[in-house]
Amino acid sequence: MTAVPAGGTSQRPGAAAPHDFRLFWWAGTTDALGTQVSGLALPLLLLATGTSPAVVGVVAGASAACGLLLAPFAAVLADRGARRTVMLGSALVSAGAMASIAVAAAGSEPALWHLFAAVAVERTSTSCHEAAARGTLAVVVPPDGYPRAVSRLQAGEQAALVAGPLLGGVLFQLARWLPFLADAASYLVAAGCVRAMRGNLDPAADAAVPPDRTDGGRAGARGAWAGFGAELAAGLAFVRRTPFLRFVLLWTTAVSGLLGALCYGTIFALHGSGTAAAPVGAVLAAGGAAGLVGALLAPRASRLLPASRLLPTVSWLLVPPALGLVVSDRVWVYGLLFAALSLLLPVTVVVLQSRAIRVTPVPLQSRTGTALATTAGAAAALAPVAAGTLAAFAGATATALGCAVLLAALAVHTTARAARGTLAEGTP
């Protein structure tokens, strides 16, 4: 397939681009920090109220699944020209949902239905925000800057992984409502950053997908819904006919689900052994610190090794740390193993995301990115359910062993795709 330069079908980044990218980075990093703070606190809060690991997994998985339903619709609205509005509104709704949990946790025992409803609203709003944000990079960064920009965004997320779990564990021990208040504040900061961006975040008027008016107005609502449905499916259709994007779809989906299951399995294992909240946060923070290093090294690694060698190598290197979690029973060993996994992952993410942006036209950025992220999000939503079920009936080691086997299968597939030349697509 011939690569389509992402900036070639819409406006080029203007004078406000560096300013807007900095604000975009701050919005994403602050949002990620708050999410990591509350992401550790939520299962600990549920476990502290006597909820079983299986139910904790169901709450986390079901709330994440709620976001998958509306994200594609938000992507269509963003590509139509409402990107800033969707991002701003979603951040404010998420702030309100997290603030309600903080209020409930500060009083008596929070009701399970309230926690589930608030987290479901927050996850749905966040998914809409992320769907709208996926087209932003292509209009504020020139194409030759994609790898560096993606690397900086990854570095911000990894920095949040360093500070977020550790801060979440400490705040939870001080007062169980503090992590959720911190998350609410992070969404307000993100909303302020989006509001302050000066440039036009939408596709150019001549590139945006117009509303469906082929029926001359005779079909009414039916024609409007048909046109909206066609726009909704356009991103998935583009992924289906692009071999490289099909590989990105499979790889990111598998890794999202498997690493999510390993993360929740570790939380359940450490909690079951009587480990306090702060050491659990420190384990995840160690992974975030290593991921930050990996994100900073990713552009150089992608320049030194072609994707046909880099991606299979990293895929195989993910297997030994997962196997190590099968036999680990010490907190510091868990930290080292998660650090090894997190060091490797950003390299592939930078390569895959920057090339996916490059081969996707700007008017399809949000919908194509959402199509890729929806399947990964579905796997991430199922991960805590699977981890909680296995922890309840077979123990935490079953989760780690199953993930290690599936990571090995993914490495075999990646090696085969490299041999067929699929990974060469999207090369600048």
Side-chain angles (χ1 to χ4, degrees), residues 106-137:
S108 59
E109 290 293 328
L112 181 61
W113 68 266
H114 179 198
L115 293 177
F116 173 75
V119 173
V121 169
E122 185 264 347
R123 283 290 88 204
T124 300
S125 299
T126 298
S127 295
C128 291
H129 179 97
E130 292 172 350
R134 287 187 185 100
T136 306
L137 192 65

Side-chain angles (χ1 to χ4, degrees), residues 44-272:
L44 293 177
L45 177 62
L46 290 169
L47 292 170
T49 59
T51 307
S52 69
V55 175
V56 173
V58 170
V59 170
S63 59
C66 291
L68 302 180
L69 300 177
L70 289 182
F73 295 92
V76 172
L77 294 176
D79 282 340
R80 280 185 171 187
R83 191 180 315 281
R84 191 192 303 270
T85 301
V86 173
M87 293 170 66
L88 183 59
S90 299
L92 294 176
V93 171
S94 296
M98 287 294 100
S100 75
I101 295 182
V103 172
S108 59
E109 290 293 328
L112 181 61
W113 68 266
H114 179 198
L115 293 177
F116 173 75
V119 173
V121 169
E122 185 264 347
R123 283 290 88 204
T124 300
S125 299
T126 298
S127 295
C128 291
H129 179 97
E130 292 172 350
R134 287 187 185 100
T136 306
L137 192 65
V139 296
V140 299
V141 175
D144 58 357
Y146 291 160
R148 183 182 178 187
V150 173
S151 175
R152 290 179 63 185
L153 292 173
Q154 281 292 307
E157 292 183 8
Q158 295 299 327
L161 284 172
V162 177
L166 187 59
L167 180 61
V170 172
L171 291 178
F172 187 83
Q173 289 191 177
L174 292 175
R176 61 184 187 177
W177 53 270
L178 277 176
F180 304 102
L181 181 62
D183 195 11
S186 75
Y187 282 119
L188 294 178
V189 172
C193 291
V194 172
R195 181 67 180 82
M197 295 174 73
R198 296 195 296 255
N200 179 16
L201 305 184
D202 303 311
D206 59 349
V209 180
D212 183 15
R213 296 189 177 93
T214 57
D215 64 347
R218 292 186 297 272
R222 179 180 297 181
W225 277 109
F228 194 86
E231 293 182 49
L232 199 65
L236 181 60
F238 187 73
V239 173
R240 290 179 59 186
R241 63 176 181 263
T242 309
F244 177 73
L245 293 182
R246 290 201 303 269
F247 171 79
V248 175
L249 181 71
L250 175 64
W251 201 93
T252 55
T253 299
V255 170
S256 294
L258 295 174
L259 293 188
L262 286 173
C263 180
Y264 269 87
T266 297
I267 293 175
F268 295 147
L270 292 175
H271 181 270

